Amino acid sequence: MKVRFLLLSVAALVGSNLAHGMEVSGHLTLEGRAFEDGPAYAGQDNRATGAVIFEPELYQSWGNGDLAFEFTPYFREDSADPERDLFDVRELSLLWISGNWETKIGYSKVFWGVAESQHLVDTINQTDLAANPDGEDKLGQPMVQIVYVSDFGDFSFFALPGFRERTFPGRQGRLRASSHVDTSRTRYESLGEDERVDFALRWKHYIGDFDLGLHYFSGTNRDPILIPIERIGGLPRRVIPYYELMDQVGLDVQMTKGAWLWKLEAIARETSRDRYSAMVGGFEYTLYGIMDSVVDLGLLAEVHLDSRGEAAPVVFNRDLFLGGRFAWNDEADTSMVAGLFIDGNNGSSMVRLEFERRIGDSYKLEIELQKLASLDEADVLYPLREDSYLQVSLSRYF
Amino acid sequence: MNTYIRKNVLLKITAFLALSSGSLYGLTAEERGLQIAEEMDRRDSGFGDTSAELLMELRNKQGETSSREMSMRTLEGIGEGDKSLIVFDEPRDVKGTAFLSYTKKVGPDDQWLFLPALERVKRISSSNKSGPFVGSEFAYEDLSSQEVEKYTYRYLRDEDLDGEPCFVVERYPVDPKSGYTRQIVWVDQSEYISRKMVFYDRKDSLLKTLTFSKYRQYDGRYWRSHQMTMVNHQTGKATTLEWKDYQFGNGYSERDFDRRSLQTTR
């Protein structure tokens, strides 16, 4: 916490002293969610819900961008679930580029990986699960990142002082299990708890048709184990997150060959209790200009595997993802991704659809649909069986 | 003796005919077309690097417009194609989105996209070359660097365009994935720069016309058009590109065009 505070103050100080000619951009979003069915659990809000999200970005650079300051706070206010309210610092950083060296200090976001249906190797930033069940939203992570760029690839070193806890929907919120996650009683394997300094190394390179990445991570696992502390009629009513320590190695590869993208992500993890591996792999094949139009259709197929099999406490253990990505290539950048997830063991399935389109110059409409069907009682998603939803959001960009 | 004289006379006549007719210096129409393309390339080579601001205006059939703003930098390739980096500023929802392209003289280009919302760098397929660039009437292949090797050529005729004497050259994309069967280019005879291009689609129907205007010369040598207008005859849509703040000699290196720079450049 002290280290985090220090980073925050340094960055804020730099920001406030040099806030001159700063570039301001960002978005204000109104989001509404309606659920197909009534809630499955007592205490959950019964109505459609709404949220307001505000994410401004302040940016300033000096010396042709060799020194850059960035501040992106994030505010979210939900109509029903106070656990979904959030103030987060997505970015508050200072970047310094000197020849082949890059140094970044502060809160930041890093993306690793190549797959579409799951971001398995994307380890650094914690998931803001309360934001969206798809796990694409990430919390800012305090870090010192040093990158050396060479002819043999980019070598990155990360020191990560301070751990960010995953956000979960609260008692009143939908898209949760029978139990709600009590984040006030979070426990850690590390004696340093959330003040432990984690480390990571990453190598990223590009050779011909291949984009390659390797990483090593040592620190607190971003994925918590949920331990029941209160039961009612055999069902856990309250769980607390427990964050283990782990060592992880991972690989991500993409081969780009004509209209084909072949993708593979794999990790191997070791904790004090367990050792397992997982992978996601598949392809994206794009049909350009279908039916004599300018519309592109990308066909996606990805397979998820976890060495722990059905027992793995993750959504994707032996699953198949099939999807289509439409790009209209019009002036509104209209696009849609539709995907079907099928559990290879129990046949449970989930459909997700994401549509977006710009309106005028500065508005964007996004529609998202998630439908759970024929869920098996043994499936990790079974608790969400009543939570199929439609989400519509309108953003104003500035 | 007799045979020798006859041969000699014949050669002279042939040479004279060749010089006075369209096939100058005894070149075929294909060789002459290639020669013009090579001369265009030679006159533009050595520029090193450029940067520019770009305003793109899209107009549909009803006359409604929308615009995009981006900055672009280019590094001249020596023995290979050019590298370019485009960063979007408007519309605001795509602000910070960046597109990196390594042009190849032969074979598919290498391309990456940076999506700032996820901080994600994505290698993308370059076989969408005939697809529209950000919804405009420009295809990716219209905007990528025009390497000589990407086409075969045929000289057609000399013709005045707006009072300027031009070579009219037809060229045929080598890549079967190109959206065109052929393009006809009007090349300014004094400066060897493109004045106009006409594009024919895969069915060999007239598709688009591109007009280059507001040429300005840099370093006493390199010509750059500051306004390019592409009209699609089949859809009635049009896109205008306005180039501002052209700068040469920025001192860019390969480092300014790698995947890290894709993430850090604004």
Side-chain angles (χ1 to χ4, degrees):
Chain A
M1 211 57 205
K2 277 173 216 142
V3 190
R4 229 189 291 168
F5 181 71
L6 196 72
L7 284 177
L8 209 77
S9 342
V10 167
L13 202 69
V14 172
S16 59
N17 279 344
L18 302 164
H20 173 69
M22 197 163 259
E23 241 181 75
V24 181
S25 59
H27 65 101
L28 176 69
T29 300
L30 294 175
E31 177 190 280
R33 248 182 218 173
F35 293 85
E36 189 183 353
D37 302 303
Y41 312 110
Q44 281 185 314
D45 201 281
N46 197 10
R47 298 155 301 175
T49 62
V52 183
I53 296 153
F54 180 54
E55 190 175 16
E57 183 190 306
L58 307 164
Y59 176 83
Q60 176 147 27
S61 69
W62 302 267
N64 285 324
D66 286 346
L67 189 64
F69 167 77
E70 197 182 330
F71 178 37
T72 312
Y74 174 97
F75 308 88
R76 182 174 61 225
E77 189 76 30
D78 191 82
S79 68
D81 180 4
E83 287 289 305
R84 226 183 149 236
D85 296 345
L86 181 71
F87 165 68
D88 184 38
V89 178
R90 298 264 141 125
E91 188 90 33
L92 178 54
S93 67
L94 199 59
L95 168 73
W96 178 49
I97 303 172
S98 172
N100 291 332
W101 293 88
E102 286 181 22
T103 309
K104 196 181 220 184
I105 298 174
Y107 278 67
S108 192
K109 210 155 77 171
V110 171
F111 182 89
W112 296 348
V114 292
E116 296 302 319
S117 57
Q118 190 198 172
H119 302 311
L120 188 65
V121 305
D122 188 26
T123 309
I124 298 283
N125 293 81
Q126 180 58 274
T127 302
D128 181 6
L129 195 64
N132 195 300
D134 72 359
E136 296 244 326
D137 292 72
K138 298 283 176 179
L139 301 173
Q141 167 69 45
M143 66 175 73
V144 176
Q145 180 190 4
I146 298 168
V147 186
Y148 176 66
V149 179
S150 79
D151 291 342
F152 309 102
D154 309 336
F155 297 87
S156 307
F157 166 79
F158 297 86
L160 308 163
F163 178 80
R164 302 298 312 277
E165 275 187 65
R166 182 167 294 184
T167 62
F168 292 95
R171 266 179 62 77
Q172 289 104 307
R174 301 291 294 262
L175 295 157
R176 67 163 172 90
S178 62
S179 51
H180 86 274
V181 183
D182 186 350
T183 48
S184 66
R185 297 179 59 184
T186 302
R187 280 163 41 195
Y188 297 88
E189 180 176 350
S190 167
L191 293 174
E193 301 203 316
D194 65 348
E195 286 178 35
R196 187 184 191 279
V197 182
D198 297 340
F199 293 96
L201 297 169
R202 175 151 170 91
W203 171 75
K204 188 90 184 77
H205 198 26
Y206 129 81
I207 305 164
D209 296 332
F210 290 88
D211 282 61
L212 299 160
L214 280 175
H215 76 261
Y216 168 71
F217 175 91
S218 174
T220 298
N221 189 347
R222 272 56 182 149
D223 305 324
I225 295 167
L226 299 174
I227 301 170
I229 51 164
E230 207 182 304
R231 287 177 187 274
I232 285 183
L235 277 178
R237 210 177 83 86
R238 199 140 60 105
V239 294
I240 56 166
Y242 173 64
Y243 292 96
E244 288 181 300
L245 288 171
M246 71 166 183
D247 283 295
Q248 174 180 294
V249 287
L251 161 82
D252 55 290
V253 189
Q254 181 179 312
M255 185 177 79
T256 307
K257 200 91 187 160
W260 290 91
L261 311 179
W262 291 92
K263 301 167 174 196
L264 175 71
E265 292 186 20
I267 55 161
R269 268 181 195 175
E270 191 174 69
T271 67
S272 52
R273 302 178 309 129
D274 207 355
R275 178 186 272 191
Y276 59 94
S277 56
M279 62 138 298
V280 50
F283 66 81
E284 176 166 358
Y285 175 72
T286 306
L287 300 155
Y288 295 103
I290 51 167
M291 295 184 294
D292 275 333
S293 69
V294 293
V295 179
D296 298 336
L297 169 61
L299 303 171
L300 298 143
E302 289 180 357
V303 174
H304 310 101
L305 289 172
D306 191 297
S307 65
R308 294 165 296 178
E310 266 312 272
V314 292
V315 176
F316 306 120
N317 36 45
R318 276 177 200 169
D319 295 69
L320 174 68
F321 166 77
L322 300 171
R325 187 205 304 276
F326 289 88
W328 272 262
N329 290 313
D330 56 357
E331 61 270 17
D333 285 333
T334 311
S335 72
M336 185 174 78
V337 187
L340 170 69
F341 296 80
I342 307 164
D343 188 292
N345 275 63
N346 59 43
S348 301
S349 65
M350 173 172 86
V351 172
R352 264 188 78 85
L353 191 144
E354 291 167 16
F355 171 88
E356 63 173 58
R357 180 181 171 82
R358 182 170 43 246
I359 299 172
D361 286 330
S362 43
Y363 289 90
K364 190 156 95 175
L365 172 73
E366 286 168 279
I367 299 170
E368 183 179 311
L369 181 109
Q370 178 166 302
K371 168 91 183 154
L372 297 151
S374 60
L375 280 180
D376 189 274
E377 273 188 52
D379 198 85
V380 180
L381 289 175
Y382 182 75
L384 307 184
R385 64 198 173 280
E386 305 292 338
D387 291 341
S388 293
Y389 70 91
L390 174 74
Q391 178 180 304
V392 178
S393 57
L394 184 68
S395 301
R396 154 97 207 193
Y397 284 83
F398 53 92
Chain B
M1 188 71 160
N2 242 349
T3 337
Y4 172 76
I5 291 168
R6 231 182 294 154
K7 245 191 190 166
N8 209 358
V9 170
L10 210 65
L11 272 172
K12 276 183 181 157
I13 292 169
T14 316
F16 174 76
L17 282 175
L19 277 168
S20 56
S21 81
S23 57
L24 198 65
Y25 318 121
L27 296 179
T28 64
E30 285 73 20
E31 287 166 335
R32 185 127 187 249
L34 176 64
Q35 196 184 51
I36 293 165
E38 281 172 340
E39 181 61 17
M40 290 173 81
D41 186 60
R42 195 190 65 77
R43 291 199 187 197
D44 196 55
S45 67
F47 71 83
D49 65 50
T50 60
S51 65
E53 299 297 315
L54 204 51
L55 179 69
M56 187 183 250
E57 194 173 69
L58 282 60
R59 204 168 54 246
N60 69 12
K61 215 173 176 174
Q62 290 75 41
E64 296 159 339
T65 59
S66 59
S67 60
R68 283 126 177 65
E69 270 180 60
M70 56 201 107
S71 57
M72 182 176 182
R73 54 165 74 156
T74 305
L75 180 69
E76 185 180 14
I78 312 293
E80 53 182 358
D82 297 346
K83 292 180 176 175
S84 66
L85 178 62
I86 297 173
V87 183
F88 287 85
D89 194 45
E90 284 187 13
R92 294 308 253 184
D93 66 309
V94 294
K95 181 182 157 38
T97 303
F99 175 68
L100 175 67
S101 174
Y102 294 178
T103 317
K104 301 287 176 61
K105 283 182 186 287
V106 184
D109 300 345
D110 293 340
Q111 295 175 344
W112 291 267
L113 198 62
F114 174 64
L115 305 168
L118 299 172
E119 289 286 325
R120 180 174 183 181
V121 174
K122 254 179 152 174
R123 172 87 169 262
I124 57 172
S125 164
S126 63
S127 41
N128 61 340
K129 52 176 7 180
S130 65
F133 179 73
V134 294
S136 75
E137 297 313 308
F138 285 84
Y140 282 86
E141 62 184 309
D142 304 338
L143 290 169
S144 77
S145 85
Q146 302 290 307
E147 308 296 330
V148 175
E149 293 83 349
K150 296 208 156 190
Y151 303 89
T152 60
Y153 302 85
R154 194 159 70 94
Y155 164 81
L156 296 180
R157 58 184 183 272
D158 286 358
E159 189 178 286
D160 282 9
L161 185 73
D162 303 327
E164 286 291 325
C166 288
F167 301 116
V168 185
V169 178
E170 194 165 55
R171 57 181 202 179
Y172 315 92
V174 172
D175 191 328
K177 293 202 181 73
S178 168
Y180 312 114
T181 46
R182 60 192 171 107
Q183 301 167 358
I184 300 176
V185 195
W186 278 256
V187 181
D188 184 300
Q189 289 191 3
S190 54
E191 299 296 344
Y192 278 81
I193 51 180
S194 306
R195 293 281 179 189
K196 188 170 101 168
M197 279 171 88
V198 177
F199 301 77
Y200 290 84
D201 68 12
R202 287 198 183 107
K203 292 177 186 136
D204 205 27
S205 310
L206 175 66
L207 178 63
K208 301 187 288 192
T209 298
L210 173 60
T211 316
F212 299 86
S213 53
K214 296 187 184 165
Y215 266 105
R216 224 178 289 161
Q217 197 177 26
Y218 293 87
D219 290 351
R221 198 171 160 198
Y222 308 108
W223 289 94
R224 290 290 180 272
S225 164
H226 289 67
Q227 184 175 309
M228 301 176 184
T229 305
M230 182 76 93
V231 177
N232 188 318
H233 304 292
Q234 296 183 2
T235 63
K237 292 189 196 174
T239 300
T240 304
L241 279 182
E242 300 265 1
W243 301 78
K244 293 179 295 181
D245 301 330
Y246 248 116
Q247 308 256 357
F248 283 68
N250 298 283
Y252 292 144
S253 67
E254 299 285 328
R255 180 74 181 84
D256 297 299
F257 295 84
D258 64 16
R259 286 160 308 137
R260 293 294 316 174
S261 71
L262 183 59
Q263 298 174 61
T264 54
T265 306
R266 293 290 179 115

CSV table of all heavy atoms in Angstrom, one decimal, chain A residues 288-326:
chain,number,residue,atom,x,y,z
A,288,TYR,N,-13.2,-11.9,-47.2
A,288,TYR,CA,-13.2,-10.4,-47.5
A,288,TYR,C,-14.2,-10.1,-48.6
A,288,TYR,O,-14.3,-10.8,-49.6
A,288,TYR,CB,-11.8,-9.9,-47.9
A,288,TYR,CG,-10.8,-10.0,-46.8
A,288,TYR,CD1,-9.9,-11.0,-46.8
A,288,TYR,CD2,-10.9,-9.2,-45.7
A,288,TYR,CE1,-9.0,-11.2,-45.7
A,288,TYR,CE2,-10.0,-9.3,-44.6
A,288,TYR,CZ,-9.1,-10.3,-44.6
A,288,TYR,OH,-8.2,-10.4,-43.6
A,289,GLY,N,-15.1,-9.1,-48.3
A,289,GLY,CA,-16.0,-8.7,-49.3
A,289,GLY,C,-17.0,-9.8,-49.7
A,289,GLY,O,-17.1,-10.2,-50.8
A,290,ILE,N,-17.8,-10.3,-48.7
A,290,ILE,CA,-18.7,-11.4,-49.0
A,290,ILE,C,-19.8,-10.9,-49.9
A,290,ILE,O,-20.3,-9.8,-49.8
A,290,ILE,CB,-19.3,-12.0,-47.6
A,290,ILE,CG1,-19.9,-10.9,-46.7
A,290,ILE,CG2,-18.2,-12.8,-46.9
A,290,ILE,CD1,-20.7,-11.5,-45.6
A,291,MET,N,-20.2,-11.8,-50.7
A,291,MET,CA,-21.3,-11.6,-51.7
A,291,MET,C,-21.2,-10.2,-52.4
A,291,MET,O,-22.1,-9.4,-52.5
A,291,MET,CB,-22.7,-11.7,-51.0
A,291,MET,CG,-22.9,-13.1,-50.5
A,291,MET,SD,-24.5,-13.3,-49.7
A,291,MET,CE,-24.4,-12.3,-48.3
A,292,ASP,N,-20.0,-10.0,-53.0
A,292,ASP,CA,-19.8,-8.8,-53.8
A,292,ASP,C,-20.0,-7.5,-53.0
A,292,ASP,O,-20.2,-6.5,-53.6
A,292,ASP,CB,-20.7,-8.8,-55.0
A,292,ASP,CG,-20.0,-9.6,-56.1
A,292,ASP,OD1,-18.7,-9.7,-56.1
A,292,ASP,OD2,-20.7,-10.2,-57.0
A,293,SER,N,-20.0,-7.5,-51.7
A,293,SER,CA,-20.1,-6.3,-50.9
A,293,SER,C,-18.8,-5.9,-50.4
A,293,SER,O,-17.8,-6.5,-50.7
A,293,SER,CB,-21.1,-6.6,-49.8
A,293,SER,OG,-20.5,-7.4,-48.8
A,294,VAL,N,-18.7,-4.9,-49.5
A,294,VAL,CA,-17.4,-4.6,-48.8
A,294,VAL,C,-17.4,-5.2,-47.4
A,294,VAL,O,-16.6,-4.9,-46.6
A,294,VAL,CB,-17.2,-3.1,-48.8
A,294,VAL,CG1,-16.9,-2.6,-50.2
A,294,VAL,CG2,-18.3,-2.3,-48.1
A,295,VAL,N,-18.5,-6.0,-47.1
A,295,VAL,CA,-18.5,-6.6,-45.7
A,295,VAL,C,-17.6,-7.8,-45.6
A,295,VAL,O,-17.5,-8.6,-46.5
A,295,VAL,CB,-20.0,-7.1,-45.4
A,295,VAL,CG1,-20.1,-7.7,-44.0
A,295,VAL,CG2,-21.0,-5.9,-45.5
A,296,ASP,N,-16.8,-7.8,-44.5
A,296,ASP,CA,-15.9,-8.9,-44.2
A,296,ASP,C,-16.5,-9.8,-43.2
A,296,ASP,O,-17.1,-9.3,-42.2
A,296,ASP,CB,-14.6,-8.4,-43.7
A,296,ASP,CG,-13.8,-7.5,-44.6
A,296,ASP,OD1,-14.1,-7.6,-45.9
A,296,ASP,OD2,-13.0,-6.7,-44.2
A,297,LEU,N,-16.4,-11.1,-43.3
A,297,LEU,CA,-16.8,-12.1,-42.3
A,297,LEU,C,-15.6,-12.9,-41.9
A,297,LEU,O,-15.0,-13.6,-42.7
A,297,LEU,CB,-17.9,-13.0,-42.9
A,297,LEU,CG,-18.3,-14.2,-42.1
A,297,LEU,CD1,-18.9,-13.8,-40.7
A,297,LEU,CD2,-19.3,-15.0,-42.8
A,298,GLY,N,-15.3,-12.8,-40.6
A,298,GLY,CA,-14.3,-13.6,-40.0
A,298,GLY,C,-14.9,-14.8,-39.3
A,298,GLY,O,-15.8,-14.7,-38.6
A,299,LEU,N,-14.4,-16.0,-39.6
A,299,LEU,CA,-14.9,-17.2,-39.0
A,299,LEU,C,-13.9,-17.6,-37.9
A,299,LEU,O,-12.7,-17.7,-38.2
A,299,LEU,CB,-15.0,-18.4,-40.0
A,299,LEU,CG,-15.9,-18.0,-41.2
A,299,LEU,CD1,-15.8,-19.1,-42.3
A,299,LEU,CD2,-17.4,-17.9,-40.8
A,300,LEU,N,-14.4,-17.8,-36.7
A,300,LEU,CA,-13.5,-18.1,-35.6
A,300,LEU,C,-13.8,-19.5,-35.0
A,300,LEU,O,-15.0,-19.8,-34.8
A,300,LEU,CB,-13.8,-17.0,-34.5
A,300,LEU,CG,-13.5,-15.6,-34.8
A,300,LEU,CD1,-14.5,-14.7,-34.2
A,300,LEU,CD2,-12.1,-15.2,-34.4
A,301,ALA,N,-12.8,-20.2,-34.6
A,301,ALA,CA,-13.0,-21.4,-33.9
A,301,ALA,C,-11.8,-21.5,-32.9
A,301,ALA,O,-10.6,-21.4,-33.3
A,301,ALA,CB,-13.0,-22.6,-34.8
A,302,GLU,N,-12.1,-21.8,-31.6
A,302,GLU,CA,-11.1,-21.9,-30.6
A,302,GLU,C,-11.5,-23.0,-29.7
A,302,GLU,O,-12.6,-23.2,-29.3
A,302,GLU,CB,-10.8,-20.6,-29.9
A,302,GLU,CG,-10.2,-19.6,-30.7
A,302,GLU,CD,-9.9,-18.2,-30.1
A,302,GLU,OE1,-10.3,-18.0,-28.9
A,302,GLU,OE2,-9.3,-17.3,-30.7
A,303,VAL,N,-10.5,-23.7,-29.2
A,303,VAL,CA,-10.7,-24.8,-28.3
A,303,VAL,C,-10.0,-24.5,-27.0
A,303,VAL,O,-8.9,-24.0,-27.0
A,303,VAL,CB,-10.0,-26.1,-28.8
A,303,VAL,CG1,-10.1,-27.3,-27.8
A,303,VAL,CG2,-10.7,-26.6,-30.1
A,304,HIS,N,-10.7,-24.7,-25.9
A,304,HIS,CA,-10.1,-24.5,-24.5
A,304,HIS,C,-9.8,-25.8,-23.8
A,304,HIS,O,-10.7,-26.7,-23.8
A,304,HIS,CB,-11.0,-23.7,-23.6
A,304,HIS,CG,-11.5,-22.4,-24.3
A,304,HIS,ND1,-12.8,-22.4,-24.9
A,304,HIS,CD2,-11.0,-21.2,-24.5
A,304,HIS,CE1,-13.0,-21.1,-25.4
A,304,HIS,NE2,-11.9,-20.4,-25.2
A,305,LEU,N,-8.7,-25.9,-23.3
A,305,LEU,CA,-8.4,-27.2,-22.5
A,305,LEU,C,-7.7,-26.8,-21.2
A,305,LEU,O,-6.9,-25.8,-21.1
A,305,LEU,CB,-7.4,-28.1,-23.3
A,305,LEU,CG,-8.0,-28.8,-24.5
A,305,LEU,CD1,-6.9,-29.5,-25.3
A,305,LEU,CD2,-9.1,-29.8,-24.1
A,306,ASP,N,-8.0,-27.6,-20.1
A,306,ASP,CA,-7.4,-27.4,-18.8
A,306,ASP,C,-7.0,-28.8,-18.4
A,306,ASP,O,-7.8,-29.7,-18.4
A,306,ASP,CB,-8.4,-26.7,-17.9
A,306,ASP,CG,-7.7,-26.3,-16.6
A,306,ASP,OD1,-7.2,-27.1,-15.9
A,306,ASP,OD2,-7.6,-25.0,-16.3
A,307,SER,N,-5.8,-28.9,-17.9
A,307,SER,CA,-5.3,-30.3,-17.5
A,307,SER,C,-6.1,-30.8,-16.3
A,307,SER,O,-6.1,-32.0,-16.1
A,307,SER,CB,-3.8,-30.2,-17.2
A,307,SER,OG,-3.6,-29.4,-16.0
A,308,ARG,N,-6.8,-30.0,-15.6
A,308,ARG,CA,-7.6,-30.5,-14.5
A,308,ARG,C,-9.0,-31.0,-14.9
A,308,ARG,O,-9.8,-31.5,-14.1
A,308,ARG,CB,-7.8,-29.3,-13.4
A,308,ARG,CG,-6.5,-28.9,-12.8
A,308,ARG,CD,-6.6,-27.6,-12.0
A,308,ARG,NE,-6.9,-26.5,-13.0
A,308,ARG,CZ,-7.1,-25.3,-12.6
A,308,ARG,NH1,-7.1,-25.0,-11.3
A,308,ARG,NH2,-7.4,-24.3,-13.5
A,309,GLY,N,-9.3,-30.8,-16.2
A,309,GLY,CA,-10.5,-31.3,-16.8
A,309,GLY,C,-11.7,-30.6,-16.2
A,309,GLY,O,-11.7,-29.4,-15.8
A,310,GLU,N,-12.8,-31.4,-16.1
A,310,GLU,CA,-14.1,-30.8,-15.6
A,310,GLU,C,-14.0,-30.3,-14.2
A,310,GLU,O,-14.8,-29.4,-13.7
A,310,GLU,CB,-15.2,-31.9,-15.6
A,310,GLU,CG,-16.1,-31.9,-16.8
A,310,GLU,CD,-16.6,-30.6,-17.3
A,310,GLU,OE1,-17.7,-30.1,-16.8
A,310,GLU,OE2,-16.0,-29.9,-18.1
A,311,ALA,N,-13.0,-30.8,-13.4
A,311,ALA,CA,-12.9,-30.4,-12.0
A,311,ALA,C,-12.3,-28.9,-11.9
A,311,ALA,O,-12.3,-28.3,-10.9
A,311,ALA,CB,-11.9,-31.3,-11.3
A,312,ALA,N,-11.7,-28.4,-13.0
A,312,ALA,CA,-11.1,-27.1,-13.0
A,312,ALA,C,-12.1,-26.0,-12.6
A,312,ALA,O,-13.2,-26.0,-13.2
A,312,ALA,CB,-10.5,-26.8,-14.3
A,313,PRO,N,-11.8,-25.2,-11.6
A,313,PRO,CA,-12.8,-24.2,-11.2
A,313,PRO,C,-12.8,-23.0,-12.1
A,313,PRO,O,-12.8,-21.8,-11.7
A,313,PRO,CB,-12.3,-23.8,-9.8
A,313,PRO,CG,-10.8,-24.0,-9.9
A,313,PRO,CD,-10.5,-25.1,-10.9
A,314,VAL,N,-12.7,-23.2,-13.4
A,314,VAL,CA,-12.7,-22.1,-14.4
A,314,VAL,C,-13.9,-22.4,-15.4
A,314,VAL,O,-14.3,-23.5,-15.6
A,314,VAL,CB,-11.4,-22.0,-15.1
A,314,VAL,CG1,-10.3,-21.6,-14.2
A,314,VAL,CG2,-11.0,-23.3,-15.8
A,315,VAL,N,-14.3,-21.3,-16.1
A,315,VAL,CA,-15.4,-21.5,-17.0
A,315,VAL,C,-15.0,-22.3,-18.2
A,315,VAL,O,-15.8,-23.2,-18.7
A,315,VAL,CB,-15.8,-20.0,-17.5
A,315,VAL,CG1,-16.9,-20.2,-18.6
A,315,VAL,CG2,-16.4,-19.2,-16.3
A,316,PHE,N,-13.8,-22.1,-18.7
A,316,PHE,CA,-13.3,-22.9,-19.9
A,316,PHE,C,-12.3,-24.0,-19.5
A,316,PHE,O,-11.2,-23.7,-19.2
A,316,PHE,CB,-12.7,-21.9,-20.9
A,316,PHE,CG,-13.6,-20.8,-21.3
A,316,PHE,CD1,-13.2,-19.5,-21.1
A,316,PHE,CD2,-14.9,-21.0,-21.8
A,316,PHE,CE1,-14.1,-18.4,-21.4
A,316,PHE,CE2,-15.7,-20.0,-22.2
A,316,PHE,CZ,-15.3,-18.7,-21.9
A,317,ASN,N,-12.8,-25.2,-19.5
A,317,ASN,CA,-11.9,-26.3,-19.2
A,317,ASN,C,-11.8,-27.3,-20.3
A,317,ASN,O,-10.7,-27.7,-20.7
A,317,ASN,CB,-12.3,-27.0,-17.9
A,317,ASN,CG,-13.8,-27.1,-17.7
A,317,ASN,OD1,-14.6,-27.4,-18.7
A,317,ASN,ND2,-14.3,-26.7,-16.5
A,318,ARG,N,-13.0,-27.7,-20.9
A,318,ARG,CA,-13.0,-28.5,-22.1
A,318,ARG,C,-14.1,-27.9,-23.0
A,318,ARG,O,-15.2,-28.4,-23.1
A,318,ARG,CB,-13.2,-29.9,-21.9
A,318,ARG,CG,-11.9,-30.7,-21.5
A,318,ARG,CD,-12.2,-32.1,-21.1
A,318,ARG,NE,-11.0,-32.6,-20.3
A,318,ARG,CZ,-11.0,-33.7,-19.7
A,318,ARG,NH1,-12.1,-34.5,-19.8
A,318,ARG,NH2,-10.0,-34.1,-19.0
A,319,ASP,N,-13.8,-26.8,-23.6
A,319,ASP,CA,-14.9,-26.0,-24.3
A,319,ASP,C,-14.5,-25.7,-25.7
A,319,ASP,O,-13.3,-25.7,-26.1
A,319,ASP,CB,-15.2,-24.7,-23.6
A,319,ASP,CG,-15.8,-25.0,-22.2
A,319,ASP,OD1,-15.0,-25.4,-21.3
A,319,ASP,OD2,-17.0,-24.7,-22.0
A,320,LEU,N,-15.5,-25.5,-26.5
A,320,LEU,CA,-15.3,-25.1,-27.9
A,320,LEU,C,-16.0,-23.8,-28.1
A,320,LEU,O,-17.1,-23.5,-27.6
A,320,LEU,CB,-15.9,-26.2,-28.8
A,320,LEU,CG,-15.9,-25.9,-30.3
A,320,LEU,CD1,-14.5,-26.0,-30.8
A,320,LEU,CD2,-16.8,-27.0,-31.0
A,321,PHE,N,-15.3,-22.9,-28.8
A,321,PHE,CA,-15.9,-21.6,-29.2
A,321,PHE,C,-16.0,-21.5,-30.7
A,321,PHE,O,-15.0,-21.8,-31.4
A,321,PHE,CB,-15.0,-20.5,-28.6
A,321,PHE,CG,-15.3,-19.1,-29.2
A,321,PHE,CD1,-16.4,-18.4,-28.8
A,321,PHE,CD2,-14.5,-18.6,-30.2
A,321,PHE,CE1,-16.8,-17.2,-29.3
A,321,PHE,CE2,-14.8,-17.3,-30.8
A,321,PHE,CZ,-16.0,-16.6,-30.3
A,322,LEU,N,-17.2,-21.2,-31.2
A,322,LEU,CA,-17.3,-21.0,-32.6
A,322,LEU,C,-17.9,-19.6,-32.8
A,322,LEU,O,-18.9,-19.2,-32.1
A,322,LEU,CB,-18.3,-22.0,-33.2
A,322,LEU,CG,-17.9,-23.5,-33.1
A,322,LEU,CD1,-19.0,-24.4,-33.5
A,322,LEU,CD2,-16.7,-23.7,-34.0
A,323,GLY,N,-17.4,-18.8,-33.7
A,323,GLY,CA,-17.9,-17.4,-33.8
A,323,GLY,C,-17.8,-16.9,-35.2
A,323,GLY,O,-17.1,-17.4,-36.1
A,324,GLY,N,-18.4,-15.7,-35.4
A,324,GLY,CA,-18.3,-15.0,-36.6
A,324,GLY,C,-18.2,-13.5,-36.3
A,324,GLY,O,-18.8,-13.0,-35.4
A,325,ARG,N,-17.3,-12.9,-37.0
A,325,ARG,CA,-17.1,-11.5,-36.8
A,325,ARG,C,-17.4,-10.7,-38.1
A,325,ARG,O,-16.8,-11.0,-39.2
A,325,ARG,CB,-15.6,-11.2,-36.5
A,325,ARG,CG,-15.2,-9.8,-36.1
A,325,ARG,CD,-13.8,-9.5,-36.4
A,325,ARG,NE,-12.8,-10.4,-35.7
A,325,ARG,CZ,-12.4,-10.2,-34.5
A,325,ARG,NH1,-12.9,-9.3,-33.7
A,325,ARG,NH2,-11.6,-11.1,-34.0
A,326,PHE,N,-18.4,-9.8,-38.1
A,326,PHE,CA,-18.8,-9.1,-39.3
A,326,PHE,C,-18.2,-7.7,-39.2
A,326,PHE,O,-18.3,-7.0,-38.1
A,326,PHE,CB,-20.3,-9.0,-39.3
A,326,PHE,CG,-21.0,-10.3,-39.7
A,326,PHE,CD1,-21.4,-11.1,-38.7
A,326,PHE,CD2,-21.2,-10.6,-41.0
A,326,PHE,CE1,-22.0,-12.3,-39.0
A,326,PHE,CE2,-21.9,-11.8,-41.4
A,326,PHE,CZ,-22.2,-12.7,-40.4
